[in-house]
Amino acid sequence: MQHSETYKQKLRSPADAVREVRDGDFIVVPTGVGEPPHLLAALSEQRRDFRDVKVGQILAMRKYAYIDPDTVDHVRHVAYFYGGATRAGGQAGWIDFIPNYFSEIPAKIERGLMPADVVFSMASPMDEEGYFSLSLGTDYTMAAVSRARAVVLEVNPNVPFALGNCKVHVSQVAALVESEEPVLEVGLPKIGIVQEAIGKYVADMIDDGSTLQIGYGGIPDAVVMQLTGKHDLGIHTEMIGEGILTLIESGAVTNKRKNYLPGKMVATFALGSSKLYRFMHRNPMLEMHPVSYTNDPFLAGQNDNLVAINATLQIDLLGQCGSESLGSSPFSGTGGQSDFVRAANRSRGGKAFIVLPSTAKGDSISRIVPVLGPGTHVSTSKNDVNYVVTEYGVAQLRGKSAKQRARELIGIAHPAFRAELTEQAKRINLL
Ligand code: COA
């Protein structure tokens, strides 16, 4: 049968397509803007008809009606990483959480450790050979496609057909729906004086020819904006966003000095403007791959001079990074932070940067603390952490003793907290 015939046969309304879901199912949804709004709206609409259905995702973008404490016995969100739409539910306990290294989610799905009965995903229009591109969120979704009983795609002409290992064939699909509105756009985060100062310290330590992973949050993008004068940079990252697009437009990225996939950049999900999404369309310079590939420390670390830039909320005097919670109150997730810290540590000439403003809440709280508060989720361990950067400078920790680390970190704390931190460090025999 012609692929277009198969396509037509599988085309349904969102309300109909949602009937592929059975009670007890676990629906996997891609990261961020790879989420299909019409399917999730239809699921929300029908949620009271289901029992014990779960929806698993990194970084839900919209607060759909199914994200509702009153209907969790029908449909419950399970975060692999919290964002604005899910954080409050996670903190209140009615949204569940699966801790993960981003790189390992596909293997857990493939080995049946994490369920994947149904996939709901955005997709590009189908090509002549019957393939759709899951370009916006390739991540763990490709693994879920290989395991799921039912794959349901929301096909939208504004989703780019990216190259790489991100294609699903129409024969693998149970149902298709169509939508046309623009893909959700996410601009650059707000970059203030502090973020800019941190960005400058990091940018000064990045050599021409380095390969970059740019994390999530204001400071990683503040670094990128200060790299436009560099030469022959490469990209091996998990998220492709507006910062990276700006860098590419500046001519600083050629990818030619990468050891792994020279000439090409790789990423696993996209979060940016319609300009970025257009840039991704059939662009031979870019490949989208599953996160088990982009974030594998052993693969990414084959690039010499791999630079990883990731943000944390707090750090203790040993260098343990509490990047994803404030005490026991969850904030985000590990994402690819530890994957890329370890990748950069493996890379010849690699540099792993953990970045943070020295204070929070109008300078009333030091983010450099003697010990992390009870219940804090440690994202990057003391054994992996290397460069830590605040607006007061750079601490280099790898290979340093506990006492040296405490001195280095107090040296980049806000001056108003240095005496108190020194006092507390003495009290716990760190100094
Ligand atoms: N005490 C109280 N509040 C604190 C705090 C502390 N110690 N540290 C931070 N906060 C508050 C900030 O004031 C801010 O609040 P506001 O929004 O009201 O101003 C909020 O927490 C977020 O802090 P901020 O530094 O602005 O975070 P960010 O937007 O730069 O994001 C994360 C940082 C969430 C991305 C990062 O910590 C994270 O999740 N890291 C792990 C994942 C990761 O690195 N992935 C990389 C690959 S995608």
Side-chain angles (χ1 to χ4, degrees):
M1 199 184 343
Q2 285 295 317
H3 300 312
S4 55
E5 273 309 304
T6 315
Y7 184 103
K8 273 187 218 145
Q9 277 183 6
K10 295 185 176 184
L11 195 58
R12 313 251 284 274
S13 69
D16 255 13
V18 162
R19 303 314 302 178
E20 291 292 332
V21 177
R22 299 177 191 161
D23 288 348
D25 272 352
F26 196 103
I27 306 171
V28 172
V29 172
T31 307
V33 299
E35 69 188 22
H38 286 262
L39 284 169
L40 291 171
L43 178 74
S44 297
E45 195 72 19
Q46 296 178 42
R47 65 190 186 279
R48 289 185 179 81
D49 299 343
F50 292 106
R51 286 223 72 76
D52 193 29
V53 166
K54 299 196 172 69
V55 180
Q57 186 186 4
I58 279 193
L59 200 60
M61 299 303 292
R62 304 163 175 95
K63 199 169 178 314
Y64 296 97
Y66 87 82
I67 301 176
D68 172 2
D70 294 334
T71 54
V72 288
D73 291 341
H74 299 283
V75 181
R76 184 191 291 272
H77 189 85
V78 180
Y80 310 152
F81 187 106
Y82 292 110
T86 52
R87 186 170 296 129
Q91 290 169 353
W94 54 267
I95 287 181
D96 205 355
F97 176 64
I98 304 182
N100 274 304
Y101 293 120
F102 200 175
S103 62
E104 293 187 352
I105 301 178
K108 287 182 190 165
I109 290 174
E110 281 157 7
R111 293 171 196 176
L113 288 169
M114 285 171 64
D117 303 300
V118 176
V119 172
F120 275 5
S121 174
M122 288 284 265
S124 73
M126 187 175 77
D127 72 3
E128 282 179 358
E129 286 161 347
Y131 285 101
F132 305 89
S133 177
L134 305 194
S135 53
L136 299 176
T138 309
D139 48 45
Y140 44 80
T141 310
M142 295 300 286
V145 165
S146 72
R147 287 283 299 196
R149 186 190 70 245
V151 175
V152 185
L153 300 183
E154 183 168 321
V155 180
N156 182 314
N158 299 306
V159 176
F161 196 106
L163 307 177
N165 180 7
C166 57
K167 288 189 274 185
V168 174
H169 196 260
V170 67
S171 59
Q172 295 172 276
V173 172
L176 294 161
V177 303
E178 290 180 333
S179 62
E180 288 208 330
E181 62 264 46
V183 176
L184 198 65
E185 298 188 75
V186 181
L188 279 172
K190 214 174 109 232
I191 295 170
I193 305 168
V194 167
Q195 284 81 2
E196 221 171 282
I198 298 169
K200 178 151 179 23
Y201 280 119
V202 178
D204 285 349
M205 292 176 68
I206 297 178
D207 300 322
D208 288 342
S210 297
T211 292
L212 310 178
Q213 175 260 340
I214 310 296
Y216 187 60
I219 305 173
D221 274 319
V223 176
V224 174
M225 304 316 264
Q226 300 187 50
L227 295 177
T228 51
K230 303 275 179 187
H231 300 283
D232 291 331
L233 297 175
I235 305 291
H236 184 122
T237 195
E238 74 178 40
M239 182 183 95
I240 179 161
E242 282 312 281
I244 288 180
L245 184 63
T246 308
L247 202 54
I248 294 164
E249 286 176 338
S250 76
V253 175
T254 63
N255 293 303
K256 71 179 184 196
R257 284 167 66 181
K258 286 174 72 188
N259 313 74
Y260 193 71
L261 272 192
K264 291 201 188 289
M265 57 183 148
V266 294
T268 200
F269 75 93
L271 209 59
S273 64
S274 55
K275 191 168 157 200
L276 172 75
Y277 307 139
R278 280 196 301 278
F279 165 84
M280 294 170 67
H281 186 66
R282 295 196 177 278
N283 188 336
M285 184 184 181
L286 169 71
E287 289 189 2
M288 299 302 288
H289 283 277
V291 69
S292 46
Y293 176 96
T294 56
N295 286 32
D296 182 333
F298 295 89
L299 293 186
Q302 287 176 33
N303 288 300
D304 291 345
N305 305 311
L306 178 69
V307 173
I309 306 154
N310 292 288
T312 192
L313 298 173
Q314 296 178 84
I315 187 165
D316 74 10
L317 291 179
L318 268 181
Q320 303 188 88
C321 303
S323 309
E324 56 188 283
S325 79
L326 291 169
S328 59
S329 183
F331 189 87
S332 51
T334 309
Q337 178 168 123
S338 308
D339 295 333
F340 276 102
V341 167
R342 285 179 294 145
N345 288 342
R346 292 184 65 80
S347 155
R348 226 172 345 175
K351 291 177 186 144
F353 291 98
I354 293 290
V355 292
L356 76 166
S358 65
T359 61
K361 305 287 169 213
D363 287 346
S364 63
I365 296 172
S366 175
R367 296 204 194 195
I368 296 177
V369 292
V371 290
L372 295 171
T376 303
H377 307 188
V378 174
S379 318
T380 291
S381 95
K382 63 190 186 317
N383 306 337
D384 292 325
V385 69
N386 193 4
Y387 294 100
V388 180
V389 188
T390 70
E391 70 276 27
Y392 292 101
V394 181
Q396 191 276 313
L397 304 185
R398 214 158 145 78
K400 298 267 170 77
S401 72
K403 290 186 197 312
Q404 289 170 323
R405 286 169 180 232
R407 271 185 224 109
E408 290 258 349
L409 286 165
I410 292 169
I412 61 164
H414 190 290
F417 291 99
R418 288 182 196 167
E420 190 186 329
L421 282 168
T422 305
E423 225 17 72
Q424 287 172 322
K426 284 180 184 159
R427 224 173 290 142
I428 55 174
N429 300 325
L430 261 181
L431 287 178

